Amino acid sequence: MTTPPEVPLPMRRNGFDPVPELGEIRDGEGIARVDTAFGMSAYLVCRYEDVRQVLSDPVRFSSALSPAPGAEHLSAEEQATMQAGQFIAFDPPEHTRLRRVLTPEFTVRRMRRLEPRIAEIAEAALDDLERAGKPADLVEHFALPVPSLVICELLGVPKADRAEFHERSVRLLDTSLPMEQRVAAQREDRAYLAGLVARAQAEPGDDLLGTLARNHDLSTDELIGIASLLLLAGHETTANMLSLGTLALLQHPEQLAKLRDDPAQAEPAVEELLRWLSVVQAAPPRTTTEDVKIAGHAIPAGSLVSFSLPAANRDPGLLPDPETLDISRGAAGHLAFGHGVHHCLGAPLARMEMRIAFPLLLRRFPQLKLAAPADFRAFSVVYGLRTLPVTW
């Protein structure tokens, strides 16, 4: 009989909350040796200030030197090809070169132009949810299609390809699957995106891929890598924030009522939900380039350093009463989007999608409630729900 895999400590949750062991590390030594989700040994950092320190210093804590998950299944040539364009895996100045190309496309001002279209997409998803009838799965009919369609339109991905892309994304992020299966999903993803990039290069449209192909000196491999990263990050994170955030509000009805009844609560509510839920369990690990000290502990050069973003965002050093969900406080300074040079490029888009989608959902269905228990994705690098059955 096969022993079921164990959820790695940095990814363990009790519902919305990081498990007590992570809080004990944070409030005690501040750091511990653990196995990561990809089977590598690392120093796990849990305190808010320590996580910020590491994320702020790409010179001593390198992204480029950290081993890529599944690299042992790839040749050196394939590793280089797969990594091209994946700017989160680089340090400055290479990271800066790639990110500078994309930054103008994700400014707050540029994202505001998308606001009417995002509202249309959200309203259409709510129509679909209503047509599905009671009870319905909020993940299938609302939380997933809204960000998925937004990022697919932004990048020029045909709507018909959305479901297939999501299925591959789930496999890429599921740490309970053998690494060979996740690597196979990477290869399938790359093959699909290679065709998308080829079309963008041949006939550049007004979407983001067409703009990048037309206006910037990027290799084909870099365009494929950028598209892969943006598609994965652009729909998985926000989709799980919408589903998990809705569940959190349903289980805190007084918070739900505040958001539903007061439009001014949308912006602070999004920030607090980002902090309290921390769906991205950890930023990609870093490798120390010299001997360093974290939380008073000596860490040798060449060591892998990982993070618990949920534990850091629940640190009493960040704000008072961190275990309580309070949408009125706004939770400025949280680490849900990371920190430093690798702070999430798509944060303005994700914030806008949530700021629009949550109020529309709650006002359209003021009697929204759970129809059955939600199904949590325990093994996913991006925490969230497989299903959220609701009625109204």
Side-chain angles (χ1 to χ4, degrees):
M1 184 174 178
T2 305
T3 305
E6 185 177 34
V7 179
L9 177 59
M11 295 170 56
R12 289 180 203 161
R13 303 265 189 139
N14 288 334
F16 302 114
D17 307 326
V19 292
E21 294 95 315
L22 290 168
E24 289 166 7
I25 295 169
R26 179 195 63 217
D27 301 335
E29 293 292 311
I31 192 167
R33 289 299 294 269
V34 300
D35 289 331
T36 70
F38 302 101
M40 298 172 282
S41 179
Y43 290 90
L44 178 67
V45 182
C46 293
R47 290 177 186 161
Y48 175 78
E49 285 299 336
D50 295 331
V51 173
R52 275 177 59 100
Q53 172 199 338
V54 175
L55 296 180
S56 298
D57 188 351
V59 174
R60 295 192 304 153
F61 300 95
S62 168
S63 297
L65 295 178
S66 298
E72 67 275 14
H73 298 276
L74 306 172
S75 67
E77 183 180 358
E78 193 175 13
Q79 284 183 49
T81 300
M82 289 281 197
Q83 191 178 37
Q86 299 270 342
F87 51 91
I88 62 170
F90 291 101
D91 299 324
E94 182 66 3
H95 166 269
T96 310
R97 176 184 72 85
L98 291 166
R99 182 155 175 144
R100 187 180 292 131
V101 167
L102 290 162
T103 299
E105 306 298 328
F106 286 91
T107 61
V108 173
R109 178 180 296 179
R110 185 69 62 90
M111 291 301 102
R112 280 186 185 139
R113 296 181 192 172
L114 296 175
E115 189 163 357
R117 180 58 184 144
I118 293 171
E120 285 178 6
I121 289 171
E123 291 280 16
L126 291 172
D127 292 341
D128 181 59
L129 178 65
E130 192 164 18
R131 281 193 299 269
K134 302 181 282 188
D137 179 12
L138 193 85
V139 173
E140 177 185 353
H141 295 286
F142 184 69
L144 180 61
V146 171
S148 179
L149 190 51
V150 170
I151 197 67
C152 284
E153 285 194 4
L154 189 66
L155 283 163
V157 178
K159 184 178 178 181
D161 297 345
R162 189 180 67 201
E164 179 188 353
F165 179 81
H166 173 65
E167 185 275 330
R168 282 196 302 272
S169 299
V170 170
R171 282 189 284 142
L172 280 166
L173 296 170
D174 187 349
T175 62
S176 70
L177 294 177
M179 185 56 74
E180 293 90 340
Q181 290 186 31
R182 283 182 276 166
V183 170
Q186 271 186 299
R187 289 177 172 138
E188 291 168 26
D189 188 52
R190 181 175 179 78
Y192 168 75
L193 291 171
L196 205 66
V197 165
R199 289 196 293 274
Q201 290 172 320
E203 297 182 19
D206 294 330
D207 53 74
L208 179 56
L209 265 186
T211 300
L212 294 177
R214 182 171 52 247
N215 297 335
H216 297 282
D217 184 21
L218 294 165
S219 70
T220 296
D221 285 338
E222 286 174 335
L223 283 169
I224 293 170
I226 288 169
S228 174
L229 183 59
L230 293 181
L231 275 169
L232 183 64
H235 90 279
E236 276 294 326
T237 51
T238 308
N240 285 293
M241 272 300 303
L242 287 174
S243 59
L244 205 61
T246 300
L247 179 60
L249 291 167
L250 289 172
Q251 295 189 358
H252 294 79
E254 75 292 346
Q255 303 290 308
L256 185 153
K258 282 184 190 178
L259 177 54
R260 183 192 61 218
D261 299 339
D262 181 3
Q265 290 292 323
E267 194 167 329
V270 165
E271 296 308 314
E272 175 70 346
L273 286 166
L274 283 163
R275 176 198 72 84
W276 197 72
L277 295 170
S278 296
V279 298
V280 178
Q281 315 251 41
R286 308 293 198 263
T287 297
T288 55
T289 60
E290 60 184 65
D291 294 349
V292 297
K293 275 198 169 184
I294 307 173
H297 294 261
I299 311 297
S303 300
L304 201 62
V305 177
S306 187
F307 323 90
S308 172
L309 297 183
N313 278 334
R314 299 282 188 98
D315 190 336
L318 170 60
L319 43 68
D321 194 17
E323 299 295 335
T324 297
L325 178 67
D326 178 3
I327 66 165
S328 62
R329 65 177 157 192
H334 64 74
L335 299 171
F337 288 120
H339 184 68
V341 297
H342 288 288
H343 182 270
C344 177
L345 180 72
L349 177 60
R351 284 184 164 109
M352 178 172 288
E353 289 178 286
M354 288 183 276
R355 181 173 56 77
I356 292 169
F358 280 125
L360 285 176
L361 170 68
L362 299 179
R363 287 169 201 150
R364 178 78 166 266
F365 299 103
Q367 303 302 316
L368 192 72
K369 58 186 176 182
L370 277 177
D375 183 12
F376 287 88
R377 289 168 51 172
F379 281 93
S380 180
V381 175
V382 179
Y383 192 57
L385 302 173
R386 291 187 185 87
T387 59
L388 180 59
V390 296
T391 187
W392 52 88

